[in-house]
Amino acid sequence: MRKLLAVFAALGMAGSAFSGDLLGLKNLSVDGSIEYLGKQANNQTDADDGNEDSTGDTASRVRLGLNAQVTEGVSSRIEVVRYPDWAGNPAMFGDDTESVNDELDNFEVLNAYLELDNILGLDKAKIGRQYVGRPGDLIAYFGPFNDDYLYVTSLSSLVLSKKVGPVNVNAVLAKANDDDFVAFDTDDGDGSGDENINWITASSDELIKVEGATFPLEIGLYQWLDQNTDNADDNQTLNIYDLRAGANLLDNALKLSLEYAMNAGQDNNGGTAVDYKGNALVFKAAYDNEDNGWGVKALYANASGDDNGADTKDEAFHSISSDFRYGQILSNDTNFWSSYAGSNLTGYSLSGGLDTDSQGPGLNIIGLGGNYNLPILDKKYTVYADYFMAKLNETGSFPDDIGNEIDLTVKYVHNDNVSVKAG
């Protein structure tokens, strides 16, 4: 049995504006956050009840952003982030051998981009290092993760947006890794290569019009290309076709959503082509009764698995950089590994979410939950209860049950920018 106690505190700063100009920049504003996470866990690294391993960690993340108008129709953003470097210097509280000077490598500029309005017929164009995708997205998200790492990532990318009638079109052209010091030097001899991440989506909630309701629809095409060398037998191309539909009913009190994603492409690394054939289905339902301060929700998620790891078809579902969450342990705990086939079920990786790795066993999640805003103490406290059932789809002779998880959480909201959660 895995037990986890976590306390999370967050302080945000929103839009504090300066008057006047600085270095020719106008309309300066700052934003950011200071976040603290502490956790204590028992028996989290394996399924052996006789090995009661215990850990306790505390960590912090600091973000500070500066926004400014460069010239007419052009704005800019720079954001500096400090987060724990778990692979190197954890920089945990209580370590008297660490100081700011010892962890300078943990400070990174993760936003440095320009945003241009109404250029070349587009509504917006953003170019530079930036966060892309949507928090909680199944397929692709690069930004601050709210897992046990408090990790942050971003992409050097070009993001384009245009509204065509009732349809919003968004495109992302990104470079996840540029192998060459000089862009046109294609033979540096180290056997690695560029990684490109691109996608385009078309979405609208105006195509179906019903009074008191909206029906959002979206179609997307995603691609991750890892061109290791210039050889035809040394590259990976993962394509993902994605369909999303939803219904917001009863003046947005009832929200339903359905997403289906399908893999295509090939892994040619090693000389034998393996076709990507996986798929995933996610259904969510939530009802929020604001008048009485309570809400309920349900989740069903299923990712296909592969029952034959020796053939040339990879039927396990794959994502690019998922932020799909299901439970404080199952998808937030960075030390949680399945004892079945070595499957990585943590929330963050190049894949993550419902992805169970190359020709993996797949994953099935059922979740139920509810929340209640206590009608006392100025309604600053909300309690949450969630229950998750998890199992693998294709395990051969191994058992398929991962286990059940119960999460109990209390959230205190001090004001719009300060909150504390304990679970």
Side-chain angles (χ1 to χ4, degrees), residues 210-246:
V210 177
E211 186 176 354
T214 57
F215 298 88
L217 302 170
E218 180 174 305
I219 183 172
L221 171 61
Y222 299 75
Q223 183 183 79
W224 170 50
L225 173 63
D226 185 358
Q227 189 72 39
N228 293 324
T229 69
D230 57 0
N231 296 325
D233 61 352
D234 190 15
N235 60 79
Q236 296 169 272
T237 302
L238 172 64
N239 297 320
I240 304 174
Y241 304 101
D242 184 62
L243 296 173
R244 310 186 193 199

Side-chain angles (χ1 to χ4, degrees), residues 136-311:
D137 194 81
L138 171 66
I139 298 174
Y141 170 68
F142 295 84
F145 288 87
N146 289 323
D147 59 5
D148 290 351
Y149 271 130
L150 292 182
Y151 195 67
V152 186
T153 185
S154 60
L155 280 181
S156 294
S157 53
L158 172 64
V159 178
L160 309 174
S161 61
K162 172 70 175 180
K163 187 169 185 180
V164 182
V167 178
N168 294 296
V169 180
N170 293 278
V172 175
L173 308 172
K175 181 75 70 174
N177 179 59
D178 191 341
D179 175 59
D180 304 310
F181 181 77
V182 178
F184 299 103
D185 176 14
T186 58
D187 185 17
D188 56 10
D190 63 3
S192 60
D194 292 357
E195 292 182 47
N196 298 308
I197 296 175
N198 307 309
W199 71 82
I200 184 170
T201 62
S203 61
S204 178
D205 58 3
E206 303 175 28
L207 295 177
I208 302 176
K209 296 184 179 180
V210 177
E211 186 176 354
T214 57
F215 298 88
L217 302 170
E218 180 174 305
I219 183 172
L221 171 61
Y222 299 75
Q223 183 183 79
W224 170 50
L225 173 63
D226 185 358
Q227 189 72 39
N228 293 324
T229 69
D230 57 0
N231 296 325
D233 61 352
D234 190 15
N235 60 79
Q236 296 169 272
T237 302
L238 172 64
N239 297 320
I240 304 174
Y241 304 101
D242 184 62
L243 296 173
R244 310 186 193 199
N248 301 320
L249 309 172
L250 305 178
D251 294 326
N252 288 328
L254 176 62
K255 296 184 178 181
L256 308 173
S257 66
L258 180 67
E259 179 176 4
Y260 178 75
M262 180 176 64
N263 293 154
Q266 285 185 333
D267 180 357
N268 298 316
N269 193 6
T272 301
V274 177
D275 295 328
Y276 292 118
K277 296 292 186 180
N279 60 81
L281 178 71
V282 177
F283 172 75
K284 296 179 180 180
Y287 178 77
D288 189 10
N289 189 320
E290 293 186 357
D291 293 337
N292 296 314
W294 60 269
V296 293
K297 59 183 178 180
L299 164 70
Y300 174 78
N302 187 77
S304 61
D306 194 299
D307 59 355
N308 183 3
D311 64 6

Side-chain angles (χ1 to χ4, degrees), residues 73-139:
V74 180
S75 59
S76 64
R77 175 174 175 82
I78 295 176
E79 181 177 316
V80 178
V81 178
R82 180 271 183 200
Y83 60 88
D85 178 12
W86 295 98
N89 298 316
M92 296 187 295
F93 294 127
D95 189 345
D96 59 4
T97 65
E98 296 286 343
S99 67
V100 172
N101 290 332
D102 296 317
E103 57 171 68
L104 290 179
D105 290 341
N106 293 6
F107 290 81
E108 296 185 7
V109 178
L110 292 181
N111 278 191
Y113 65 81
L114 292 174
E115 180 173 319
L116 298 85
D117 297 331
N118 302 315
I119 183 171
L120 298 176
L122 300 168
D123 295 336
K124 286 186 181 296
K126 293 168 62 176
I127 184 169
R129 194 79 182 183
Q130 58 189 293
Y131 303 141
V132 291
R134 292 162 287 192
D137 194 81
L138 171 66
I139 298 174

